[in-house]
Amino acid sequence: MTARELWAGNIAIAEGALAAGVDFYAGYPITPSSEIMEHLARALPKRGGVFFQAEDEIAAIFSLIGASWAGARAMTATSGPGFSLMQEGLGIAIMTETPLVVVDVMRLGPGTGQASRAGQGDLMQARWGRHGDQHLVVLAPATAQDCFDLTVLAVNTAEKLRVPVVILSDELIAHTWEPVKLKEQEERWERPRPRSQEPPFGADHPARIPPMPPLGKGFDVSVTGSTHDAWGVRATSDPKIHRQLVERLGQKILAHRVEFTVYEAHGVEEAEVGIVAFGSAARSALAAQHLLAQQGIRAGVVVLKTLWPLPEEPMEELARRVQALLVPELNLGQLRLDVERLAAGRCPVIGLSKVGGGLPIYPSEIAAKVQEVVR
Amino acid sequence: MSHPLHRYLRSEVLPTPFCPGCGNGLVAGAFLRAVAKAGHADLRNFAFVSGIGCASWIPSPCFRGDTLHVAHGRALPTALGIKLYRPDLQVVVIGGDGDIAGIGGNHLLHAARRNADLLVIMVNNLVYAMTGGQVGPTTPAGLPTTTTPYGNPERPMDTAAVVAAAGANYVARWSVAHLRELERSLAKGLSKRGFRFIEVLSQCPARVGGKLKMEPARFLRWWKEQGTTSAPTTPDQFFLGELADRDEPGFVEALRARKVSA
């Protein structure tokens, strides 16, 4: 039996977290993400989970790191300015292989920007916001259903791969109410646990995730955000240990990418023009596809729900088939750079950027741009 | 026969990385003696968290137990995350003045206000020592450092007094020249609930000693001569002893005490 609920995106994320077994949430209030926090402030204590409002976003993410090592499935949610503060903790979480989930409900920046208005300007920050060579996983919902499903996937991926996962939502998705279908039981992936004294930070194969010993069980685990060997002992000048570590931290994600790669391809087979989008812009792209069909223009749409590492094949495939690729996004052209790279000169790549006031990209705007290109 | 405290140390990482004459070994010794007297055969019931700085290297990697070594200033929120999820563990933060009172100052204030169930040992060596001896929030006014070559124009923070005012259950200050008193305060800190903060004045022969032309032994005499357990009567004196000793419910108990309605 499946149930249906009517939820806004932010509520669907909070419910997704509960369904995924999140039992520790810490955060700091910020528009337009606060509904996630308020929902979990009510729900978590009833289930024996921990809810904690921190003094700032830095404290929030570091309390997640502590709780995660203590055994929690841990999550926080924020928006642009708070996400900037959390970059420090994300870097430490990547280096210490600590599972946790950070939701960034995007608003307009830079600075404090337009606080309650939608934007998609944090794409590059989500990928590269920390100093140093590093990788994590970025997922992006386009609907309330995605908000629920991708939160479950984010928690599972974080746990299984021992990596922080970022969910990039935006204000339009956060506050749009839609039906969400629920399964009776969500799949649960667990972090690897050591059977005996096994190295918690080393693996003989890139796909192997080292086991994560829980605190307080006599493992005497040494965790450090500095470069360390397989046993967590600092090695702050050894060139070989550093290279092996940072390469393995990226390789382990790539080795498992098929498990968290989500995208939709609509009408790609017969397409004469392609549209690539994520988040709220993808909703408009799908509506534009219908408008264009009425005018006899066959548009193929790729909706990206995994934004990092990027699913490259569907965009390469689309670039081979079409006259041109259009990339509508609520920023000044961040995803477009990737699409240009993947199109590799096979077809022109045209950006459609819109920022300010939280206005969505309207389907008619996308359709008009496509018509311009096709003619 | 091995040293009675060796069972608490990772012998494979010894000797410690500390400079000759550093006070960190004295702080570690006082803490581990308090642990031994409290009857812990090992450190299994503890979780140690530290940030960045010389004192952060006392637990990580020297202690044979679970140790988390995180970013500069962020030991306190990391420790609180552990404590809230595993209230059965004795969670201890050890760090320096720059780490805990400087960059981590906001976390310190709010941990004390919440009466977070943590034991925090702040080793105050008066400067940012690991980075070369720059001025810090605890540096005495007038002291020349590498970033105050003409003397420190700022006034130092009395961190222990601030923490006591913010609501911590237990606050004490000693120096590494007062090891018996320090050990007694650490034992008391281990036995109490809520936020427990112990500041330890300690010498940095490498970064401060050189500037002041002071040998480590001269520092110990300075702590003995200028430290007073009664109210200071001159500006050069500083108070040593307990600044707060309360027994109010800690944050963990406060969370549990709430009625959670269905």
Side-chain angles (χ1 to χ4, degrees), chain A residues 23-24 41-42 45-47 50-56 58-60 62-73 88 92 96 214-226 231-234 236, chain B residues 10 12-13 17 43-47 52 56-57 60-61 64-72 74 77-86 88-89 103 106-108 110-111 113-114 251 255 258 260-262:
Chain A
D23 55 2
F24 187 99
R42 192 168 278 278
K46 283 195 271 189
R47 299 166 171 239
V50 178
F51 172 87
F52 161 57
Q53 183 167 323
E55 57 271 23
D56 56 34
I58 300 171
F62 277 94
S63 73
L64 259 59
I65 291 172
S68 184
W69 275 96
R73 287 164 87 91
E88 181 188 337
I92 295 287
T96 55
L215 301 180
K217 303 280 186 196
F219 283 96
D220 296 340
V221 60
S222 167
V223 182
T224 175
S226 302
W231 289 97
V233 176
R234 271 193 302 281
T236 52
Chain B
R10 286 183 215 268
E12 66 273 18
V13 302
L43 299 176
R44 183 176 284 228
N45 295 321
F46 288 81
I52 299 295
S56 300
W57 286 6
S60 169
R64 184 178 296 288
D66 293 331
T67 59
L68 278 82
H69 171 248
V70 294
H72 194 31
R74 315 305 174 208
T78 309
L80 183 53
I82 296 171
K83 186 66 186 181
L84 292 179
Y85 200 76
R86 284 288 306 274
D88 57 309
L89 293 177
I103 189 167
N106 193 35
H107 308 311
L108 177 64
H110 290 281
R113 172 182 65 79
R114 292 184 184 105
F251 189 38
L255 283 171
R258 296 176 307 167
V260 176
S261 59

Side-chain angles (χ1 to χ4, degrees), chain A residues 129-301:
Chain A
R130 287 70 51 197
H131 55 280
D133 286 303
Q134 29 79 29
H135 286 287
L136 43 58
V137 174
V138 184
L139 305 176
T143 63
Q145 183 75 53
D146 287 346
C147 285
F148 185 89
D149 295 341
L150 293 183
T151 301
V152 175
L153 180 64
V155 174
N156 278 338
T157 302
E159 293 290 324
K160 184 172 179 183
L161 303 188
R162 284 184 61 187
V163 70
V165 177
V166 173
I167 298 173
L168 275 187
S169 180
D170 67 54
E171 188 277 334
L172 290 167
I173 295 160
H175 296 146
T176 298
W177 290 75
E178 292 179 297
V180 177
K181 266 192 217 159
L182 304 177
K183 281 183 254 170
E184 204 159 318
Q185 179 88 48
E186 291 296 334
E187 216 181 309
R188 188 170 293 196
W189 307 348
E190 304 285 348
R191 63 182 68 173
R193 289 295 198 194
R195 288 178 300 276
S196 56
Q197 288 288 356
E198 293 178 73
F201 301 99
D204 43 15
H205 186 273
R208 188 170 172 272
I209 312 299
M212 184 169 176
L215 301 180
K217 303 280 186 196
F219 283 96
D220 296 340
V221 60
S222 167
V223 182
T224 175
S226 302
T227 298
H228 48 273
D229 67 14
W231 289 97
V233 176
R234 271 193 302 281
T236 52
S237 53
D238 187 311
K240 199 170 147 211
I241 289 179
H242 183 80
R243 184 169 184 129
Q244 280 175 347
L245 175 61
V246 295
E247 284 185 345
R248 183 178 64 74
L249 293 180
Q251 284 162 351
K252 71 170 182 180
I253 298 172
L254 292 173
H256 290 270
R257 64 189 301 178
V258 65
E259 293 160 47
F260 59 80
T261 295
V262 185
Y263 64 87
E264 291 169 14
H266 299 273
V268 168
E269 302 277 308
E270 300 82 28
E272 52 190 316
V273 64
I275 307 172
V276 180
F278 72 99
S280 59
R283 303 169 68 99
S284 301
L286 289 170
Q289 188 184 35
H290 288 288
L291 293 180
L292 289 163
Q294 287 162 13
Q295 292 153 30
I297 298 173
R298 298 186 309 277
V301 179

